[in-house]
Amino acid sequence: MINKRVITMSVLASGLFLASCVSNKKYVALQTQHQDLASLYQKGQLDLAESRSRVKSLEDQLEYERKNNGTLKDALARLQGTLDNSINQNSQGNANISKLVDEINASNKYIQHLVNTKNKSDSLNVVLTNNLTRSLSREELRDVDVKVLKGVVYISLSDNMLYRSGSYEISDKAGETLSKIAKIIQDYKDYEVLIEGNTDADPISKPNIRNNWDLSTLRASSVVQALQTQYGVEPKRLTAGGRGQYNPIADNNTPDGKARNRRTQIIITPKLDQFMELIDKAPESATEAL
């Protein structure tokens, strides 16, 4: 009996031991499996979070690209509009350039016409000046200044040569010079002749002359009457005028300036049709006129 109990107890003990060994192994295995699953879960969570982050980044990138695409479309539309405007302006610009070239060509022709006319006018001035001064001596040319401007002849005579001192009466020595000027006036018989008296700024003190207006006009009248009565110039061609001290050509504060301002001008003026005829007949250069 004892042996049976012992054997039974041994068998039971062995069974319990074996059962205990089997349970520990399963536990350990289950625990290991649980740990693996936990690791997988954690890794899955991390992968999920990373995937969500990537999805959010891709969504943000997509939204940015959409906005950028809209901006590019707007920029493209503006560029297209600018290109269209440039094409239109270029077409208009070509038309404007063509018109400008035509205007420049027309201006160049007009300028050349003016240059040719001026050259002829300058040549005419040389011819007239030579004709006017040819008969005057060197001594006379000191008191006579001859200029031709635009076909108008200006002969300026100093009062020292023309008049007695402080008077409007013509001096004896002026007669020969006036006779030569009268010959020139007669050569241009269809021209108008203006005799213009000028004085300096010093006031005149003569009982029969009130002021420089009177003196300048009386001197011009003396020349007009001499040309008419002594040299046969038609009076209807002659005009006498005085400008007093109000048409100076030099400074009245110096003796030399005053002497230059005391002068009588003989202005010989062609009519317009005569002037144009002279222009047509003028030599092409001043050299031909000499």
Side-chain angles (χ1 to χ4, degrees):
M1 285 292 291
I2 296 172
N3 291 335
K4 286 183 179 180
R5 287 180 179 177
V6 172
I7 293 171
T8 303
M9 291 295 290
S10 299
V11 170
L12 289 172
S14 298
L16 290 170
F17 178 78
L18 291 173
S20 177
C21 290
V22 171
S23 298
N24 286 336
K25 289 181 179 179
K26 286 183 178 181
Y27 175 77
V28 171
L30 289 172
Q31 190 175 23
T32 300
Q33 186 178 6
H34 174 73
Q35 291 175 349
D36 290 343
L37 289 174
S39 297
L40 288 174
Y41 176 77
Q42 291 178 355
K43 186 176 183 301
Q45 288 293 103
L46 291 174
D47 290 343
L48 179 61
E50 183 179 352
S51 297
R52 286 175 177 172
S53 177
R54 291 180 61 190
V55 168
K56 182 67 169 61
S57 177
L58 290 173
E59 287 177 346
D60 293 343
Q61 181 76 19
L62 179 60
E63 182 65 21
Y64 171 79
E65 294 298 336
R66 284 174 179 169
K67 291 181 179 179
N68 191 45
N69 186 50
T71 303
L72 291 175
K73 285 182 178 180
D74 293 340
L76 179 60
R78 288 196 298 270
L79 288 174
Q80 185 64 45
T82 302
L83 178 60
D84 293 340
N85 290 335
S86 297
I87 292 174
N88 293 334
Q89 291 176 1
N90 186 54
S91 300
Q92 184 65 33
N94 289 336
N96 291 338
I97 290 173
S98 178
K99 182 179 179 181
L100 180 60
V101 169
D102 292 339
E103 291 177 354
I104 291 174
N105 289 335
S107 297
N108 287 337
K109 290 180 181 178
Y110 180 66
I111 291 171
Q112 188 60 46
H113 169 72
L114 292 179
V115 170
N116 293 337
T117 301
K118 184 179 184 302
N119 289 338
K120 286 188 175 183
S121 178
D122 290 343
S123 299
L124 172 64
N125 293 345
V126 171
V127 171
L128 291 177
T129 302
N130 286 341
N131 289 340
L132 291 167
T133 59
R134 188 173 296 159
S135 61
L136 298 175
S137 66
R138 290 185 178 179
E139 184 177 352
E140 288 172 323
L141 287 174
R142 294 174 186 172
D143 295 315
V144 179
D145 181 34
V146 179
K147 292 180 181 178
V148 181
L149 301 174
K150 299 181 180 180
V152 178
V153 180
Y154 298 87
I155 306 173
S156 184
L157 308 173
S158 68
D159 69 329
N160 292 332
M161 186 271 290
L162 270 180
Y163 312 104
R164 294 187 177 94
S165 178
S167 172
Y168 56 86
E169 294 181 4
I170 295 177
S171 65
D172 295 333
K173 68 177 183 178
E176 186 176 354
T177 303
L178 276 181
S179 67
K180 294 177 180 179
I181 293 174
K183 175 65 168 60
I184 295 170
I185 293 173
Q186 295 288 44
D187 289 340
Y188 296 91
K189 60 181 62 179
D190 293 330
Y191 285 33
E192 303 294 332
V193 182
L194 169 64
I195 313 301
E196 180 184 273
N198 295 269
T199 70
D200 59 25
D202 291 344
I204 187 72
S205 58
K206 294 285 184 179
N208 58 338
I209 302 175
R210 292 172 298 179
N211 49 41
N212 284 329
W213 281 114
D214 280 357
L215 179 60
S216 63
T217 305
L218 288 169
R219 285 181 169 180
S221 179
S222 295
V223 174
V224 164
Q225 293 179 63
L227 290 173
Q228 175 189 353
T229 59
Q230 298 178 34
Y231 306 109
V233 179
E234 291 184 65
K236 66 179 182 180
R237 297 175 56 197
L238 300 171
T239 301
R243 303 191 69 174
Q245 66 200 48
Y246 302 105
N247 186 34
I249 59 173
D251 187 358
N252 272 311
N253 293 319
T254 64
D256 181 66
K258 290 179 181 180
R260 292 183 60 195
N261 289 332
R262 294 191 300 267
R263 70 199 187 280
T264 297
Q265 279 193 311
I266 300 176
I267 304 172
I268 306 172
T269 309
K271 296 178 182 178
L272 181 60
D273 55 346
Q274 296 166 337
F275 174 68
M276 295 308 298
E277 182 180 354
L278 287 170
I279 287 289
D280 292 336
K281 292 180 180 179
E284 293 297 329
S285 67
T287 303
E288 298 178 24
L290 299 178

